[in-house]
């Protein structure tokens, strides 16, 4: 991993990828599943970068390098945390009888070529479950899977029906992350409609948003990585009532409506589509909602932990007792899955009913934070390799980066960025005084460079996580 990072994506050709795959195979034989999964993610990211794949994201490849180097480094330091080992496969355990109720369905479309649907469910005791149908495919498969039979108990319901009703499951099996198994002995009986306003679904909306987010972000940015390879498990969803306020920078602005007693959350919440692919309905539905400032909606969303005060809604419904709210067909049972159900003009109040346009809430709470300069340097190392970082560490730009970071109080970020640039430009020499090629062996300094990069990358992730967490606190800046 250190050698591949030294060369960056341009230098990580077939030989470097083969070495990573060999290391991943060795990790599998040794039972180090988290390292194996991280190495495979790095190889996939490098291939996508070199082939200029449209689904490639430099930030994802950077995170994969950070995960691989951090995990392998912690293991090399005799780390005994079981989380560093990871798991090979999800082990399903028997649960007996379960009563589950549908919350919503979510289209799945990954950069690695998987597509399908995940239906989110809640048990009678409030536990969260998911039922997935995700396989290799294109966006068309994600769209079609939304109405395909649910592979549970003989397909008693399709995913569209299951998301609005429920099942009584006999012989259920469940994985540790809440995925329902579809074994041959599983039997399912359909239940009646389950509105969001009744238990157990109503528990989604009983906790103030800032409190629910604080619990989600309490573990930090580098915890909970899964060693299993493949599609990621579904994160726990959040429910809230919002009033839409307008559009800013491609995001739909909203404010949380009061939920019980106590202080509210941030003054401005940003909503972004869960998927922006044109074959899915998210973007079209967002345009409809953005045209109705003042509209009040009940939202089930996923937290975007990488952005300040940002949610990615999966489903919307009317706010009980509100006048300026959605008017959905009776057949939709009080909610619209934003990835599948297309909102029409008749589902929204008239422009005059929704209230006047409201003023923008200003820039994001982290918009002026100069950490983007550190991220640019960290990602530059992955995109261009060690020599590119060494060049970026010379001249006025490097001095200006250090000054700006220190003025903002990010002294550690400035020090780590400077050390990364200095290590990138440091040349090792052999016994005869001849320069050695960076990354060519254990004595070349690739390990020292990788440690300097990892220190900057880990500090950056922790600092960004702290800023995002603070953006959800009560009374966040406008």
């Amino acid at each position: 991993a250190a050698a591949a990072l030294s060369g960056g994506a341009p230098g990580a050709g077939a030989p470097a990828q083969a070495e990573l795959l060999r290391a991943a195979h060795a990790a599998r034989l040794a039972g180090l599943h988290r390292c194996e999964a991280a190495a495979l993610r790095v190889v996939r990211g490098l291939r996508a970068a070199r082939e200029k794949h449209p689904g490639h994201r430099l930030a994802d490849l950077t995170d994969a390098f950070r995960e691989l180097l951090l995990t392998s480094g912690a293991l090399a330091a005799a780390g005994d945390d079981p989380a560093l080992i990871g798991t090979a496969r999800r082990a399903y355990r028997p649960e007996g009888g379960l009563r589950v109720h549908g919350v919503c369905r979510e289209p799945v479309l990954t950069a690695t070529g998987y597509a399908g649907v995940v239906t989110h469910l809640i048990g009678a005791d409030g536990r969260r479950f998911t039922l997935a149908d995700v396989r290799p495919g294109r966006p068309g498969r994600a769209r079609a899977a939304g109405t395909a039979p649910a592979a549970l108990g003989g397909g008693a319901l399709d995913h569209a029906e299951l998301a609005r009703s429920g099942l009584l499951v006999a012989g259920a099996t469940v994985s540790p992350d809440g995925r329902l198994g579809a074994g041959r002995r599983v039997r399912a009986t359909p239940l009646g409609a389950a509105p969001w306003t009744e238990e157990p679904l109503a528990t989604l909306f009983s906790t103030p948003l800032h409190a629910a987010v604080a619990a989600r972000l309490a573990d930090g940015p580098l915890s909970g990585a899964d060693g299993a390879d493949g599609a990621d498990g579904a994160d726990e969803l959040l429910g809230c009532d919002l009033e839409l306020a307008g559009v800013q920078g491609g995001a739909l602005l909203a404010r949380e409506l009061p939920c019980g007693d106590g202080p509210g959350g941030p003054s401005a919440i940003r909503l972004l589509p869960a998927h922006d692919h044109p074959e899915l309905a998210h973007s079209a539905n967002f345009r409809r909602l953005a045209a109705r400032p003042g509209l009040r909606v009940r939202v089930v969303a996923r937290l975007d932990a990488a952005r300040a005060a940002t949610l990615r809604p999966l489903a919307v419904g009317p706010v009980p007792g509100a006048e300026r709210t959605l008017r959905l067909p009776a057949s939709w049972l009080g909610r619209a899955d934003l990835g599948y159900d297309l909102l029409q003009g008749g589902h929204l109040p008239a422009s005059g009913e929704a209230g006047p346009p409201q003023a923008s809430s200003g820039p994001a709470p982290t918009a002026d934070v100069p950490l983007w300069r550190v991220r640019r340097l960290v990602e530059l190392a992955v995109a261009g390799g060690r020599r590119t970082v060494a060049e970026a560490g010379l001249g006025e730009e490097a001095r200006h980066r250090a000054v700006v970071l220190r003025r903002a109080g990010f002294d550690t970020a400035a020090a780590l960025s400077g050390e990364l640039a200095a290590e990138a430009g440091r040349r090792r020499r052999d016994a005869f005084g001849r320069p050695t090629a960076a990354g060519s062996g254990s004595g070349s300094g690739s390990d020292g460079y990788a440690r300097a990069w990892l220190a900057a990358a880990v500090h950056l992730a922790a600092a960004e996580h702290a800023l995002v967490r603070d953006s959800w606190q009560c009374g966040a800046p406008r």
Side-chain angles (χ1 to χ4, degrees):
L5 178 67
S6 214
Q17 293 176 28
E19 281 296 301
L20 283 169
L21 290 174
R22 181 195 61 78
H25 181 66
R28 175 181 296 183
L29 294 178
L32 303 176
H33 308 295
R34 181 169 170 177
C35 269
E36 176 203 356
L40 293 176
R41 285 197 294 271
V42 169
V43 172
R44 284 196 296 263
L46 289 172
R47 288 176 177 173
R50 292 173 63 84
E51 296 169 3
K52 296 181 172 56
H53 192 278
H56 166 67
R57 291 181 68 249
L58 181 57
D60 292 340
L61 179 55
T62 302
D63 290 345
F65 262 112
R66 186 191 68 211
E67 164 72 7
L68 178 55
L69 288 167
L70 183 62
T71 304
S72 57
L75 286 169
D80 57 357
D81 186 352
L84 295 174
I85 305 299
T87 55
R89 294 182 179 274
R90 294 177 177 88
Y92 288 82
R93 63 179 184 273
E95 280 283 339
L98 282 178
R99 181 185 294 267
V100 294
H101 301 274
V103 179
C104 65
R105 55 194 163 139
E106 173 187 9
V108 176
L109 190 60
T110 72
T112 54
Y114 286 83
V117 64
V118 171
T119 298
H120 298 270
L121 307 136
I122 290 185
D125 57 357
R127 285 190 297 166
R128 311 291 178 88
F129 300 96
T130 59
L131 183 63
D133 178 10
V134 180
R135 301 176 186 174
R138 297 182 177 274
R141 189 186 188 284
R143 193 173 59 251
T147 53
L152 187 68
L157 297 172
D158 62 35
H159 281 275
E161 296 169 332
L162 179 58
R164 291 179 168 88
S165 57
L167 288 174
L168 181 61
V169 186
T173 57
V174 184
S175 72
D177 60 355
R179 296 194 180 198
L180 293 177
R184 290 179 298 177
R185 298 182 180 179
V186 179
R187 296 291 180 267
T189 303
L191 298 175
W196 282 354
T197 53
E198 296 181 5
E199 297 294 343
L201 300 180
T203 58
L204 269 173
F205 311 96
S206 61
T207 304
L209 187 56
H210 69 278
V213 171
R216 290 290 312 279
L217 296 177
D219 291 336
L222 305 176
S223 62
D226 190 0
D229 189 28
D232 293 333
D235 294 333
E236 189 172 326
L237 302 184
L238 302 172
C240 57
D241 293 339
L242 302 176
E243 183 177 20
L244 306 184
V247 179
Q248 181 192 68
L252 183 56
L253 299 182
R255 68 176 184 88
E256 184 183 8
L257 297 176
C259 176
D261 299 330
S267 58
I269 298 171
R270 286 159 176 80
L271 308 179
L272 292 174
H275 294 281
D276 56 5
H277 197 283
E279 292 194 37
L280 300 177
H282 292 283
S283 297
N285 284 328
F286 259 68
R287 288 193 294 271
R288 290 278 188 183
L289 294 173
R292 296 293 191 275
L295 179 70
R296 297 189 169 191
V297 291
R298 173 158 284 189
V299 174
V300 171
R302 187 186 303 286
L303 172 67
D304 189 337
R307 291 177 172 83
T310 300
L311 297 176
R312 294 190 179 266
L314 303 181
V316 295
V319 175
E323 295 182 3
R324 303 191 304 271
T325 190
L326 295 173
R327 304 165 179 173
L328 300 179
S331 60
W332 288 12
L333 297 179
R335 66 256 212 185
D337 296 327
L338 292 177
Y340 292 104
D341 301 321
L342 193 60
L343 295 175
Q344 304 293 337
H347 302 156
L348 304 168
S351 299
E353 298 178 47
Q358 301 184 20
S360 167
S361 297
T366 60
D368 296 328
V369 176
L371 281 178
W372 65 268
R373 299 174 186 274
V374 184
R375 172 160 289 280
R376 185 170 68 176
L377 185 66
V378 168
E379 293 183 350
L380 183 64
V382 176
R386 180 173 186 162
R387 291 184 178 179
T388 310
V389 176
E391 293 176 1
L394 302 174
E396 188 63 30
E397 180 183 354
R399 288 189 290 271
H400 182 63
R401 177 176 58 244
V403 169
V404 171
L405 288 170
R406 292 187 187 281
R407 283 178 178 173
F410 293 101
D411 293 337
T412 303
L416 293 175
S417 300
E419 177 59 29
L420 172 59
E423 185 65 34
R426 190 170 292 133
R427 299 294 301 272
R428 297 303 195 275
R429 297 181 180 273
D430 60 17
F432 299 97
R434 296 172 299 190
T436 58
S440 62
S442 60
S444 63
S446 61
D447 285 353
Y449 170 72
R451 288 190 176 93
W453 180 89
L454 182 59
V458 168
H459 179 269
L460 173 66
E464 289 179 336
H465 180 81
L467 290 171
V468 170
R469 184 186 59 218
D470 290 347
S471 73
W472 283 101
Q473 299 305 311
C474 305
R478 292 185 179 271

